[in-house]
Amino acid sequence: QQQVKQSPQSLIVQKGGISIINCAYENTAFDYFPWYQQFPGKGPALLIAIRPDVSEKKEGRFTISFNKSAKQFSLHIMDSQPGDSATYFCAASNQFYFGTGTSLTVIP
Amino acid sequence: DTGVSQNPRHKITKRGQNVTFRCDPISEHNRLYWYRQTLGQGPEFLTYFQNEAQLEKSRLLSDRFSAERPKGSFSTLEIQRTEQGDSAMYLCASSRDRGSGAEAFFGQGTRLTVV
């Protein structure tokens, strides 16, 4: 049973564009929603995280939007750069449940 | 380097053999997590420790898998009688204990290939 559902599986964006990745969860007891970035051959690294008591969190070019009633949250990458090309994972409830990942490619 | 360290980085073993992986967490972190990651998938939670106590274990973890964290420092993950389906990246992560939300730092993983 997939606790966190993530989409799309892959995403291609032009340099300077906006990348949007979506996640949905079922368990209303989850209280922490991090996003991780993973490059080939490396472990995941925390990018940004949010708690359900806020609807949005922004750190530089990265923004999490959180919709508690819909049980959905999304990652927005503004002004996407080729260096952002990586796999992105959403997660829930500390580090216990991860989405299936989104492979982002930013075309120069 | 004060990050999470995993050894070995790569392991090739024959089906039926036992393997053991080691994880050295960041020294002041008292939580330690093990995950399995297959190609194109997100990390799957296997188990986690608070200091030396194993507090949660995924039902995905069969009886052939065992993890220890003696003295609350490094941890080992052993897989007995390996099967081809065990081939995956095994990731370790550690975090402080500040309730939910403590940032987890991942190691680079051990890639296991069972032939």
Side-chain angles (χ1 to χ4, degrees), chain B residues 75-86:
Chain B
S75 176
T76 58
L77 178 68
E78 181 183 16
I79 307 175
Q80 296 182 328
R81 305 180 303 281
T82 52
E83 302 172 356
Q84 286 189 320
D86 297 331

PDB file of all heavy atoms in Angstrom, chain B residues 75-86:
ATOM      1  N   SER B  75      25.626   0.954  13.046  1.00  0.00           N
ATOM      2  CA  SER B  75      24.603  -0.078  12.878  1.00  0.00           C
ATOM      3  C   SER B  75      25.036  -1.045  11.789  1.00  0.00           C
ATOM      4  O   SER B  75      25.795  -0.677  10.883  1.00  0.00           O
ATOM      5  CB  SER B  75      23.272   0.552  12.490  1.00  0.00           C
ATOM      6  OG  SER B  75      22.284  -0.424  12.236  1.00  0.00           O
ATOM      7  N   THR B  76      24.561  -2.273  11.894  1.00  0.00           N
ATOM      8  CA  THR B  76      24.788  -3.254  10.841  1.00  0.00           C
ATOM      9  C   THR B  76      23.462  -3.807  10.366  1.00  0.00           C
ATOM     10  O   THR B  76      22.512  -3.939  11.155  1.00  0.00           O
ATOM     11  CB  THR B  76      25.676  -4.412  11.315  1.00  0.00           C
ATOM     12  OG1 THR B  76      25.058  -5.037  12.447  1.00  0.00           O
ATOM     13  CG2 THR B  76      27.070  -3.926  11.678  1.00  0.00           C
ATOM     14  N   LEU B  77      23.390  -4.083   9.080  1.00  0.00           N
ATOM     15  CA  LEU B  77      22.227  -4.731   8.473  1.00  0.00           C
ATOM     16  C   LEU B  77      22.726  -6.021   7.841  1.00  0.00           C
ATOM     17  O   LEU B  77      23.626  -5.997   6.998  1.00  0.00           O
ATOM     18  CB  LEU B  77      21.597  -3.830   7.409  1.00  0.00           C
ATOM     19  CG  LEU B  77      20.399  -4.417   6.650  1.00  0.00           C
ATOM     20  CD1 LEU B  77      19.195  -4.561   7.582  1.00  0.00           C
ATOM     21  CD2 LEU B  77      20.026  -3.534   5.452  1.00  0.00           C
ATOM     22  N   GLU B  78      22.181  -7.141   8.284  1.00  0.00           N
ATOM     23  CA  GLU B  78      22.590  -8.431   7.753  1.00  0.00           C
ATOM     24  C   GLU B  78      21.446  -9.042   6.956  1.00  0.00           C
ATOM     25  O   GLU B  78      20.283  -9.001   7.392  1.00  0.00           O
ATOM     26  CB  GLU B  78      22.998  -9.392   8.867  1.00  0.00           C
ATOM     27  CG  GLU B  78      23.459 -10.750   8.337  1.00  0.00           C
ATOM     28  CD  GLU B  78      23.812 -11.750   9.431  1.00  0.00           C
ATOM     29  OE1 GLU B  78      23.432 -11.533  10.598  1.00  0.00           O
ATOM     30  OE2 GLU B  78      24.473 -12.759   9.100  1.00  0.00           O
ATOM     31  N   ILE B  79      21.778  -9.587   5.827  1.00  0.00           N
ATOM     32  CA  ILE B  79      20.814 -10.342   5.028  1.00  0.00           C
ATOM     33  C   ILE B  79      21.337 -11.768   4.931  1.00  0.00           C
ATOM     34  O   ILE B  79      22.450 -12.010   4.451  1.00  0.00           O
ATOM     35  CB  ILE B  79      20.647  -9.759   3.604  1.00  0.00           C
ATOM     36  CG1 ILE B  79      20.335  -8.267   3.656  1.00  0.00           C
ATOM     37  CG2 ILE B  79      19.515 -10.504   2.885  1.00  0.00           C
ATOM     38  CD1 ILE B  79      20.288  -7.605   2.283  1.00  0.00           C
ATOM     39  N   GLN B  80      20.536 -12.698   5.401  1.00  0.00           N
ATOM     40  CA  GLN B  80      20.928 -14.103   5.335  1.00  0.00           C
ATOM     41  C   GLN B  80      20.304 -14.763   4.106  1.00  0.00           C
ATOM     42  O   GLN B  80      19.224 -14.375   3.652  1.00  0.00           O
ATOM     43  CB  GLN B  80      20.456 -14.820   6.603  1.00  0.00           C
ATOM     44  CG  GLN B  80      21.121 -14.301   7.875  1.00  0.00           C
ATOM     45  CD  GLN B  80      20.667 -15.059   9.111  1.00  0.00           C
ATOM     46  OE1 GLN B  80      19.536 -15.522   9.184  1.00  0.00           O
ATOM     47  NE2 GLN B  80      21.558 -15.198  10.071  1.00  0.00           N
ATOM     48  N   ARG B  81      21.011 -15.748   3.588  1.00  0.00           N
ATOM     49  CA  ARG B  81      20.516 -16.545   2.442  1.00  0.00           C
ATOM     50  C   ARG B  81      19.984 -15.612   1.353  1.00  0.00           C
ATOM     51  O   ARG B  81      18.810 -15.678   0.968  1.00  0.00           O
ATOM     52  CB  ARG B  81      19.437 -17.520   2.911  1.00  0.00           C
ATOM     53  CG  ARG B  81      19.887 -18.429   4.045  1.00  0.00           C
ATOM     54  CD  ARG B  81      18.767 -19.399   4.479  1.00  0.00           C
ATOM     55  NE  ARG B  81      17.552 -18.725   4.892  1.00  0.00           N
ATOM     56  CZ  ARG B  81      17.365 -18.156   6.051  1.00  0.00           C
ATOM     57  NH1 ARG B  81      18.330 -18.139   6.963  1.00  0.00           N
ATOM     58  NH2 ARG B  81      16.196 -17.579   6.343  1.00  0.00           N
ATOM     59  N   THR B  82      20.854 -14.779   0.847  1.00  0.00           N
ATOM     60  CA  THR B  82      20.431 -13.768  -0.117  1.00  0.00           C
ATOM     61  C   THR B  82      19.730 -14.371  -1.328  1.00  0.00           C
ATOM     62  O   THR B  82      20.048 -15.490  -1.769  1.00  0.00           O
ATOM     63  CB  THR B  82      21.620 -12.924  -0.598  1.00  0.00           C
ATOM     64  OG1 THR B  82      22.660 -13.812  -1.062  1.00  0.00           O
ATOM     65  CG2 THR B  82      22.154 -12.031   0.494  1.00  0.00           C
ATOM     66  N   GLU B  83      18.787 -13.597  -1.848  1.00  0.00           N
ATOM     67  CA  GLU B  83      18.023 -13.965  -3.045  1.00  0.00           C
ATOM     68  C   GLU B  83      18.229 -12.881  -4.088  1.00  0.00           C
ATOM     69  O   GLU B  83      18.592 -11.742  -3.762  1.00  0.00           O
ATOM     70  CB  GLU B  83      16.545 -14.086  -2.692  1.00  0.00           C
ATOM     71  CG  GLU B  83      16.250 -15.101  -1.612  1.00  0.00           C
ATOM     72  CD  GLU B  83      14.807 -15.070  -1.152  1.00  0.00           C
ATOM     73  OE1 GLU B  83      14.037 -14.194  -1.620  1.00  0.00           O
ATOM     74  OE2 GLU B  83      14.439 -15.923  -0.308  1.00  0.00           O
ATOM     75  N   GLN B  84      17.962 -13.209  -5.346  1.00  0.00           N
ATOM     76  CA  GLN B  84      18.160 -12.214  -6.400  1.00  0.00           C
ATOM     77  C   GLN B  84      17.281 -10.980  -6.180  1.00  0.00           C
ATOM     78  O   GLN B  84      17.663  -9.864  -6.516  1.00  0.00           O
ATOM     79  CB  GLN B  84      17.898 -12.843  -7.767  1.00  0.00           C
ATOM     80  CG  GLN B  84      19.022 -13.784  -8.198  1.00  0.00           C
ATOM     81  CD  GLN B  84      18.888 -14.241  -9.628  1.00  0.00           C
ATOM     82  OE1 GLN B  84      17.792 -14.521 -10.090  1.00  0.00           O
ATOM     83  NE2 GLN B  84      20.014 -14.320 -10.329  1.00  0.00           N
ATOM     84  N   GLY B  85      16.137 -11.176  -5.583  1.00  0.00           N
ATOM     85  CA  GLY B  85      15.239 -10.057  -5.297  1.00  0.00           C
ATOM     86  C   GLY B  85      15.773  -9.103  -4.250  1.00  0.00           C
ATOM     87  O   GLY B  85      15.208  -8.022  -4.054  1.00  0.00           O
ATOM     88  N   ASP B  86      16.842  -9.484  -3.574  1.00  0.00           N
ATOM     89  CA  ASP B  86      17.450  -8.598  -2.583  1.00  0.00           C
ATOM     90  C   ASP B  86      18.357  -7.564  -3.245  1.00  0.00           C
ATOM     91  O   ASP B  86      18.814  -6.630  -2.575  1.00  0.00           O
ATOM     92  CB  ASP B  86      18.276  -9.398  -1.570  1.00  0.00           C
ATOM     93  CG  ASP B  86      17.433 -10.360  -0.753  1.00  0.00           C
ATOM     94  OD1 ASP B  86      16.231 -10.072  -0.534  1.00  0.00           O
ATOM     95  OD2 ASP B  86      17.970 -11.409  -0.328  1.00  0.00           O
TER      96      ASP B  86
END
